[in-house]
Coordinates of all heavy atoms in Angstrom, one line a residue:
P24 N -122.7 174.2 20.1 CA -121.9 173.1 19.4 C -121.6 171.9 20.2 O -121.6 172.0 21.5 CB -120.6 173.9 19.1 CG -120.5 174.9 20.1 CD -121.9 175.4 20.5
V25 N -121.2 170.9 19.6 CA -121.0 169.5 20.3 C -119.5 169.7 20.9 O -118.6 170.3 20.2 CB -121.0 168.5 19.3 CG1 -120.6 167.1 20.1 CG2 -122.4 168.3 18.8
P26 N -119.3 169.4 22.1 CA -117.9 169.5 22.7 C -116.9 168.7 22.0 O -117.2 167.6 21.4 CB -118.0 169.0 24.1 CG -119.5 169.1 24.5 CD -120.3 168.9 23.1
H27 N -115.7 169.3 21.8 CA -114.6 168.7 21.1 C -114.1 167.5 21.8 O -114.0 167.5 23.1 CB -113.5 169.6 20.8 CG -112.5 169.2 19.8 ND1 -111.5 168.4 20.0 CD2 -112.6 169.4 18.4 CE1 -110.8 168.2 18.9 NE2 -111.4 168.8 17.9
P28 N -113.6 166.4 21.2 CA -113.2 165.2 22.1 C -112.0 165.5 22.8 O -111.7 164.9 23.8 CB -112.8 164.3 20.9 CG -113.7 164.6 19.7 CD -113.8 166.1 19.8
D29 N -111.2 166.6 22.4 CA -110.0 166.9 23.2 C -110.3 167.4 24.6 O -109.6 167.2 25.6 CB -109.1 168.0 22.5 CG -108.5 167.4 21.3 OD1 -108.4 166.2 21.1 OD2 -108.1 168.2 20.4
S30 N -111.5 168.0 24.8 CA -111.9 168.5 26.1 C -112.2 167.3 27.0 O -111.8 167.5 28.3 CB -113.2 169.3 26.0 OG -114.2 168.6 25.5
F31 N -112.6 166.2 26.5 CA -112.9 165.1 27.4 C -111.6 164.4 27.7 O -111.4 164.1 28.9 CB -113.7 164.0 26.6 CG -115.1 164.5 26.4 CD1 -115.6 164.9 25.2 CD2 -116.0 164.5 27.5 CE1 -116.9 165.3 25.0 CE2 -117.4 165.0 27.2 CZ -117.7 165.3 26.0
S32 N -110.6 164.5 26.9 CA -109.2 163.9 27.2 C -108.5 164.7 28.1 O -107.8 164.2 29.0 CB -108.4 163.7 25.9 OG -108.3 165.0 25.3
S33 N -108.7 166.0 28.1 CA -107.9 167.0 29.0 C -108.6 166.8 30.4 O -107.8 166.7 31.3 CB -108.0 168.3 28.5 OG -109.3 168.8 28.5
S34 N -109.8 166.7 30.5 CA -110.5 166.5 31.8 C -110.2 165.1 32.4 O -110.0 165.0 33.5 CB -112.0 166.8 31.7 OG -112.5 165.7 30.8
K35 N -110.0 164.1 31.4 CA -109.7 162.9 31.9 C -108.2 162.8 32.5 O -107.9 162.1 33.4 CB -109.9 161.8 30.8 CG -109.7 160.4 31.3 CD -109.9 159.4 30.1 CE -109.8 158.0 30.5 NZ -110.0 157.1 29.4
M36 N -107.3 163.7 31.9 CA -106.0 163.6 32.4 C -105.8 164.2 33.8 O -105.0 163.8 34.5 CB -105.1 164.5 31.4 CG -104.9 163.9 30.1 SD -103.9 164.9 28.9 CE -102.5 165.1 29.8
L37 N -106.7 165.1 34.2 CA -106.8 165.7 35.4 C -107.6 165.0 36.4 O -107.9 165.5 37.6 CB -107.2 167.2 35.4 CG -106.4 168.1 34.5 CD1 -107.0 169.4 34.4 CD2 -104.9 168.1 35.0
S38 N -108.1 163.8 36.1 CA -109.0 163.1 37.0 C -108.1 162.5 38.2 O -106.9 162.3 38.1 CB -109.7 161.9 36.3 OG -108.6 161.1 35.8
P39 N -108.8 162.2 39.3 CA -108.0 161.7 40.5 C -107.2 160.5 40.3 O -106.1 160.3 40.8 CB -109.1 161.6 41.5 CG -110.2 162.5 41.2 CD -110.2 162.6 39.7
P40 N -107.8 159.5 39.6 CA -107.0 158.2 39.4 C -105.7 158.5 38.6 O -104.6 157.9 39.0 CB -107.8 157.3 38.5 CG -109.3 157.8 38.8 CD -109.2 159.3 39.1
C41 N -105.6 159.4 37.6 CA -104.4 159.8 36.9 C -103.3 160.5 37.9 O -102.2 160.2 37.8 CB -104.7 160.6 35.8 SG -105.6 159.8 34.5
M42 N -103.9 161.4 38.8 CA -103.1 162.1 39.7 C -102.5 161.2 40.8 O -101.4 161.3 41.2 CB -103.8 163.2 40.4 CG -104.2 164.3 39.4 SD -105.1 165.7 40.2 CE -103.7 166.4 41.1
V43 N -103.3 160.1 41.1 CA -102.8 159.2 42.1 C -101.7 158.3 41.5 O -100.6 158.0 42.1 CB -103.9 158.2 42.5 CG1 -103.4 157.0 43.3 CG2 -104.9 158.9 43.3
A44 N -101.8 158.0 40.2 CA -100.7 157.3 39.5 C -99.4 158.1 39.4 O -98.3 157.6 39.5 CB -101.2 156.8 38.1
C45 N -99.6 159.4 39.1 CA -98.5 160.3 39.2 C -97.8 160.4 40.5 O -96.6 160.4 40.5 CB -98.9 161.8 38.6 SG -99.4 161.8 36.9
S46 N -98.5 160.4 41.5 CA -98.1 160.5 42.9 C -97.3 159.2 43.2 O -96.2 159.3 43.8 CB -99.2 160.7 43.9 OG -98.7 160.7 45.2
R47 N -97.7 158.1 42.7 CA -97.0 156.8 43.0 C -95.7 156.8 42.2 O -94.7 156.3 42.7 CB -98.0 155.6 42.6 CG -99.2 155.5 43.5 CD -100.1 154.3 43.0 NE -101.2 154.1 43.8 CZ -102.2 153.4 43.6 NH1 -102.2 152.6 42.5 NH2 -103.3 153.3 44.4
T48 N -95.7 157.3 41.0 CA -94.5 157.3 40.2 C -93.5 158.2 40.8 O -92.3 157.9 40.9 CB -94.9 157.8 38.8 OG1 -95.8 157.0 38.2 CG2 -93.6 157.9 37.9
C49 N -94.0 159.4 41.4 CA -93.1 160.3 42.1 C -92.5 159.6 43.3 O -91.3 159.8 43.6 CB -93.9 161.6 42.5 SG -92.9 162.8 43.3
S50 N -93.3 158.8 44.0 CA -92.8 158.1 45.1 C -91.7 157.1 44.8 O -90.6 156.9 45.5 CB -93.9 157.4 45.9 OG -94.8 158.3 46.5
R51 N -91.8 156.5 43.7 CA -90.8 155.5 43.2 C -89.5 156.2 42.8 O -88.4 155.7 43.2 CB -91.3 154.8 41.9 CG -92.6 153.9 42.2 CD -93.2 153.4 40.9 NE -94.5 152.8 41.1 CZ -95.3 152.5 40.2 NH1 -95.0 152.6 38.9 NH2 -96.4 151.9 40.5
V52 N -89.6 157.3 42.2 CA -88.4 158.1 41.8 C -87.8 158.6 43.1 O -86.5 158.6 43.2 CB -88.8 159.2 40.9 CG1 -87.5 160.1 40.6 CG2 -89.3 158.7 39.5
L53 N -88.5 159.1 44.1 CA -88.0 159.7 45.3 C -87.3 158.6 46.1 O -86.3 158.8 46.7 CB -89.1 160.4 46.1 CG -89.6 161.8 45.6 CD1 -90.8 162.2 46.4 CD2 -88.5 162.8 45.7
G54 N -88.0 157.4 46.1 CA -87.4 156.3 46.9 C -86.0 155.9 46.3 O -85.0 155.6 47.0

């Protein structure tokens, strides 16, 4: 079967750019 579009969105959420953005947000809150 053709992969569901949600699988692409979930893998995109775990991509390094998104995690970098989360790390920067965490730094702002910690500061």
Side-chain angles (χ1 to χ4, degrees):
V25 179
H27 197 271
D29 293 339
S30 62
F31 292 105
S32 60
S33 61
S34 61
K35 188 177 181 180
M36 290 176 62
L37 299 176
S38 60
C41 295
M42 295 183 69
V43 170
C45 293
S46 179
R47 292 175 183 175
T48 304
C49 184
S50 296
R51 297 168 188 173
V52 175
L53 287 173

